[in-house]
Amino acid sequence: MQPRSPITRDLFDQVMVATYNPPSVIPVRGEGSRVWDQQGREYIDFAGGIAVTCLGHVHPRLLSALQEQAAKIWHLSNVVTNEPALRLAHRLCELTFAERVFFANSGAEANEAALKLARKHAHVRFGAQKHEIIAFEQAFHGRTLFTVSVGGQPKYTQGFEPLPAGIRHVPYNDLAAVEAVISERTCAVIVEPVQGEGGIVPGDPAFIKGLRTLCDRHSAVLIFDEVQTGVGRTGELYAYMGFGVTPDVLTTAKALGGGFPIAAMLTTAPIAASFSVGSHGSTYGGNPLACAVANETLAIVSQPAVLAGVRQRHHRLTEALRGLASRYGVFDQIRGCGLLLGCGLSERWRGRARELLHMGLEEGVLLLVAGPDTLRLAPSLVIPQSDLDEGLDRIERVLRRAVASESSRGEEGG
Ligand SMILES: *Cc1c(COP(=O)(O)O)cnc(C)c1O
């Protein structure tokens, strides 16, 4: 028998397609808002698996939902329906504007479904000329060819041409720019209520409201990409509820399964009617294991006390981060809603978010970036106060070190 070779970061380079460049730390276990690596070092998790593990790691209720379903049936495909999927769709309809639900496995797939539905809907109702999609610069909607094309970051489409056509990009939070390009040819406007990957930029309420008015005026479908903002992240079950603006189509993924892959596209009955049998599909969509876990996640997150807890944590966290910003000067802006926060880096630190993320690992805190100029925090929605405080202490150690290394560098330079 061959001895089992140790699993290390080196193996990544040997066997993985290099679309990522992870640090050498390999977490092996998590509980609540703490994770442990192979060496048993403990970290406070302020990353939440990129806004996914909304109830922390191995939440006891999610664990038993998964185990219970795992003992019953794992997969059926859409050849037959299943109880967890119907239960989840019903609950999503009760809790939101939705009247119809389509299940997928990732945010990109939910957006793919939304964009295809918008195209089909316009085609069926108005004809093929009504096909233009308006999207925003710096937007992120996923990594399929259609969703990177709709996304507003050219670095994700370069080299993948030819791209799907009929997509226009305008600056975010600029209603006049939308007004200038929207027309009877527009089938949809797709927008993140808070731009996530683009740097944690909240939508201006007047902008979001204005999009609703413009879409109504031009019979265009308004799609909210709530893949990152959905399921309690902003302190509302869905961010649209806080804006008081109801979309026609909404996509939800990341936190929906609390760490189990699942996504959904929500819409109204009249729009859903433009898809008929065979229009779209997904082998795994509505998988019973995923839906069982999502049902439990939604049951917990939709409780008013949990959502109020997100808002309360938001205040404590932003206050503490603003204190750190003024003491150390590494951040110059704290942005975001609920527990989706961005620390904008000051002049001197711009472009160096990843450096700070690596220092965070050394100090025992998992952080995220949102572009090169923003440190992003997306902790569990139920993170205990003590973990929040401990994580903040560790961030402070990062900042203290960062400032010290800068000043010694300055001295060396004379
Ligand atoms: C993460 C994200 C996506 C893509 O989700 P995947 O599950 O990675 O496909 C789409 N839209 C937004 C706003 C996101 O944050």
Side-chain angles (χ1 to χ4, degrees):
M1 282 254 292
Q2 289 226 315
R4 225 173 62 171
S5 58
I7 304 289
T8 65
R9 172 63 179 76
D10 291 339
L11 190 56
F12 185 97
D13 293 331
Q14 292 164 30
V15 299
M16 300 288 276
V17 175
T19 52
Y20 300 103
N21 179 23
S24 56
V25 166
I26 301 182
V28 292
R29 189 168 69 81
E31 194 184 319
S33 284
R34 298 194 181 223
V35 303
W36 289 267
D37 70 12
Q38 292 168 312
Q39 282 71 41
R41 272 202 70 200
E42 172 238 278
Y43 303 80
I44 300 287
D45 188 1
F46 276 1
I50 318 192
V52 166
T53 50
C54 61
L55 297 171
H57 298 276
V58 201
H59 189 285
R61 281 179 59 184
L62 302 195
L63 178 63
S64 43
L66 180 61
Q67 286 175 332
E68 214 172 281
Q69 186 59 42
K72 289 183 187 162
I73 199 158
W74 287 24
H75 183 69
L76 288 157
S77 87
N78 294 291
V79 175
V80 289
T81 190
N82 71 77
E83 287 183 358
L86 294 178
R87 202 173 291 131
L88 179 60
H90 184 240
R91 194 69 189 124
L92 284 167
C93 289
E94 281 180 340
L95 290 167
T96 72
F97 75 95
E99 297 165 321
R100 296 290 186 273
V101 177
F102 175 85
F103 287 121
N105 316 290
S106 67
E109 285 173 82
N111 284 328
E112 187 84 17
L115 295 164
K116 283 180 70 181
L117 176 62
R119 281 262 173 96
K120 187 83 168 183
H121 183 65
H123 198 111
V124 169
R125 293 286 184 90
F126 303 95
Q129 78 292 343
K130 190 174 178 68
H131 64 257
E132 273 183 13
I133 293 162
I134 297 176
F136 296 95
E137 291 167 12
Q138 299 308 312
F140 184 79
H141 300 300
R143 299 296 203 114
T144 63
L145 194 58
F146 199 178
T147 55
V148 282
S149 304
V150 171
Q153 303 193 40
K155 64 175 188 222
Y156 293 144
T157 52
Q158 275 155 14
F160 297 110
E161 300 85 354
L163 304 176
I167 302 160
R168 312 188 64 147
H169 293 97
V170 294
Y172 189 67
N173 274 338
D174 185 345
L175 195 61
V178 181
E179 207 161 0
V181 298
I182 198 167
S183 73
E184 75 284 355
R185 296 172 61 83
T186 306
C187 75
V189 174
I190 182 167
V191 67
E192 295 162 86
V194 179
Q195 280 196 335
E197 306 301 312
I200 314 297
V201 183
D204 175 0
F207 168 72
I208 300 291
K209 283 198 177 75
L211 292 180
R212 179 69 276 175
T213 309
L214 287 175
C215 283
D216 289 341
R217 192 178 299 158
H218 296 277
S219 303
V221 164
L222 180 59
I223 304 169
F224 278 6
D225 178 348
E226 293 227 31
V227 168
Q228 189 154 169
T229 55
V231 194
R233 183 55 53 191
T234 66
E236 305 278 348
L237 186 60
Y238 284 96
Y240 83 85
M241 297 167 176
F243 284 99
V245 175
T246 305
D248 302 300
V249 178
L250 181 151
T251 54
T252 176
K254 288 194 167 89
L256 182 59
F260 203 98
I262 181 168
M265 176 192 70
L266 316 182
T267 189
T268 63
I271 294 174
S274 295
F275 264 1
S276 53
V277 174
S279 292
H280 192 55
S282 161
T283 297
Y284 280 127
N287 170 275
L289 290 172
C291 290
V293 181
N295 269 311
E296 199 61 20
T297 306
L298 207 54
I300 298 170
V301 175
S302 62
Q303 292 171 70
V306 171
L307 296 170
V310 173
R311 297 190 287 266
Q312 178 259 329
R313 286 170 179 80
H314 168 89
H315 290 302
R316 293 204 55 151
L317 196 49
T318 48
E319 211 166 288
L321 290 170
R322 291 207 169 102
L324 293 177
S326 67
R327 275 206 292 292
Y328 296 94
V330 177
F331 312 145
D332 65 1
Q333 202 186 29
I334 308 301
R335 301 185 293 266
C337 301
L339 287 174
L340 180 59
L341 296 174
C343 308
L345 301 185
S346 57
E347 188 80 54
R348 201 181 172 129
W349 288 89
R350 237 155 258 169
R352 295 167 65 184
R354 281 198 76 83
E355 254 178 76
L356 294 168
L357 182 147
H358 282 271
M359 289 171 74
L361 288 173
E362 288 160 15
E363 297 298 340
V365 58
L366 298 181
L367 301 167
L368 295 168
V369 303
D373 306 330
T374 307
L375 210 58
R376 173 173 34 160
L377 274 56
S380 154
L381 305 182
V382 295
I383 183 170
Q385 190 60 53
S386 53
D387 290 352
L388 214 51
D389 290 342
E390 181 60 35
L392 282 162
D393 284 347
R394 295 179 189 186
I395 290 178
E396 180 158 15
R397 294 211 289 270
V398 168
L399 299 179
R400 203 179 297 138
R401 256 179 63 195
V403 169
S405 71
E406 273 304 279
S407 57
S408 68
R409 206 192 282 184
E411 279 158 27
E412 280 162 30

